[in-house]
Amino acid sequence: MKHFLHIAGLNPFDLMPFLDHGLEFIKNDLQPLTQIPLKNRLIFHAFFENSTRTNVSFESAALRLGAQVIHFNVHTSSIHKGESDYDTFQTLLHMRPDAIVLRHPHAGAAHFMAQYASCPIINAGDGQHEHPTQALTDALCILDKKGSLAGLNIVICGDILHSRVAYSNIMLLTTLGACVKIVAPPPCIAPALENLDIEVFCQLSGEILETTDVLMLLRPQMERIHKYLPFPTKTIYHQLYGLNAQNISFLPANALILHPGPTSRDTEIDSWIMDNHPAVCIHHQVLCGIAARMSVLHVLFHS
Ligand code: NCD
């Protein structure tokens, strides 16, 4: 595999090296598996959209593997002088990086740019399309805690329509044999779900929670909701789609609670639950995120 652009279309054999190496990196406390495997490699970070976790975890992953990283900062770039994203990208390509980690607000941007690139392109999120390394992160977190994905009941709850994390996770988790259910406010249900064999619900009820092994909460993607709020108020969202003091008791004791971050406290998750409940894996996901990105870099540079 030359680039890492999407989860859709990958089969378990494609995914296995990323998961196996990722789990090894977690077990190895994020230490490289061999001495400085990416020595003398130069990786560019081209983030055309904001990021905390993805950006820093890609950088930690690259540095831990011995590579060097250069950040292209869109806010101080010639894009503000009218240069197109395409020309900016071509400029970066001609500086001969060994890989480019690209985040862009437009769906398909990473695929488009990859056509022109002789070095690996890694999709760090393209609009509301895919976020493949986040799905890998979440799968590693579940595998690390549960040992397997096959047969698990995984509920993804929130703004599915605008979330690239939802789509990549649905693709990855179902490919590896998990049973995925979706809970979302009706305007946030993606039409593409109709073509997939997935149950969709309009409320995070006790009945759904009772049989849940993993609950993945996603925030309303306010930066992509330009016209009407797809739910009446944040308080009502919290009652119907959030994990709160009323519905948490239905969740089995051994269930996991995941959230890719950033969280909106007291909207998709009650603040007290987020800080205190033992099932919450949000901080473990951060660690798994570094392992996932180390794994992607490792596999791309060694295949
Ligand atoms: C996600 C993203 O950027 O799509 N966050 C992340 O990468 N950690 C999810 C989100 O922003 O809600």
Coordinates of all heavy atoms in Angstrom, one line a residue, residues 53-54 103 131 134 164-165 219 221 260-262, ligand 1:
R53 N -5.4 16.6 18.7 CA -4.9 15.2 18.9 C -4.3 14.7 17.6 O -3.2 14.1 17.7 CB -6.1 14.4 19.2 CG -6.7 14.6 20.6 CD -8.1 14.2 20.7 NE -8.7 14.9 21.8 CZ -9.1 16.1 21.8 NH1 -9.0 16.9 20.7 NH2 -9.6 16.7 22.9
T54 N -4.9 14.8 16.5 CA -4.4 14.1 15.3 C -3.0 14.7 14.9 O -2.0 14.0 14.7 CB -5.4 14.3 14.1 OG1 -6.6 13.9 14.5 CG2 -4.9 13.5 12.9
R103 N -4.6 17.1 6.2 CA -5.9 17.3 6.7 C -6.5 18.4 5.9 O -5.9 19.5 5.7 CB -6.0 17.6 8.2 CG -7.4 18.0 8.6 CD -7.6 18.1 10.1 NE -7.7 16.8 10.7 CZ -8.2 16.6 11.9 NH1 -8.6 17.6 12.6 NH2 -8.3 15.4 12.4
H131 N -11.7 9.5 8.2 CA -10.7 9.8 9.1 C -10.0 8.4 9.5 O -10.3 7.9 10.6 CB -11.2 10.5 10.4 CG -10.2 11.2 11.2 ND1 -8.9 10.9 11.1 CD2 -10.4 12.0 12.3 CE1 -8.3 11.6 12.1 NE2 -9.1 12.3 12.7
Q134 N -8.2 7.7 12.8 CA -9.0 7.7 14.0 C -9.7 6.3 14.1 O -9.8 5.8 15.3 CB -10.0 8.8 14.0 CG -10.8 9.0 15.2 CD -10.0 9.3 16.5 OE1 -9.1 10.1 16.4 NE2 -10.2 8.6 17.6
R164 N -16.7 12.3 9.9 CA -15.8 11.4 9.1 C -15.4 10.3 10.0 O -15.0 9.2 9.5 CB -14.6 12.2 8.6 CG -13.8 13.0 9.7 CD -12.9 14.0 9.2 NE -12.3 14.9 10.2 CZ -11.9 16.1 9.9 NH1 -12.0 16.6 8.7 NH2 -11.3 16.8 10.9
V165 N -15.4 10.5 11.4 CA -15.0 9.4 12.3 C -16.0 8.3 12.2 O -15.7 7.1 12.2 CB -14.9 9.9 13.7 CG1 -14.6 8.8 14.7 CG2 -13.8 11.0 13.8
R219 N -19.4 14.1 18.8 CA -20.0 15.5 19.1 C -20.8 16.0 17.8 O -20.4 15.6 16.7 CB -18.9 16.4 19.5 CG -18.2 17.0 18.4 CD -17.0 17.9 18.8 NE -16.1 17.9 17.6 CZ -16.2 18.8 16.7 NH1 -17.1 19.8 16.8 NH2 -15.5 18.8 15.6
Q221 N -21.1 18.2 15.0 CA -20.0 18.9 14.2 C -20.4 20.3 13.8 O -20.8 20.5 12.7 CB -19.6 18.0 13.0 CG -19.3 16.6 13.3 CD -17.9 16.3 13.7 OE1 -17.0 16.7 13.0 NE2 -17.7 15.8 14.9
P260 N -13.8 10.3 20.3 CA -12.5 10.7 19.7 C -12.0 12.1 20.1 O -10.8 12.4 19.9 CB -12.9 10.8 18.2 CG -14.3 11.1 18.1 CD -14.9 10.4 19.4
G261 N -12.8 12.8 20.8 CA -12.5 14.2 21.2 C -12.5 15.1 19.9 O -12.3 14.6 18.8
P262 N -12.6 16.4 20.0 CA -12.8 17.1 21.3 C -14.3 16.8 21.8 O -15.2 16.7 21.0 CB -12.6 18.6 21.0 CG -12.9 18.6 19.5 CD -12.5 17.3 18.9
Ligands
NCD1 C1 -12.3 14.2 15.1 C2 -12.2 14.9 13.8 O1 -11.4 15.8 13.6 O2 -12.9 14.5 12.8 N1 -11.4 14.5 16.0 C3 -10.1 14.0 16.0 O3 -9.5 13.7 15.0 N2 -9.6 13.6 17.2 C4 -13.7 14.2 15.6 C5 -14.3 15.6 15.9 O4 -13.7 16.6 15.6 O5 -15.4 15.5 16.4

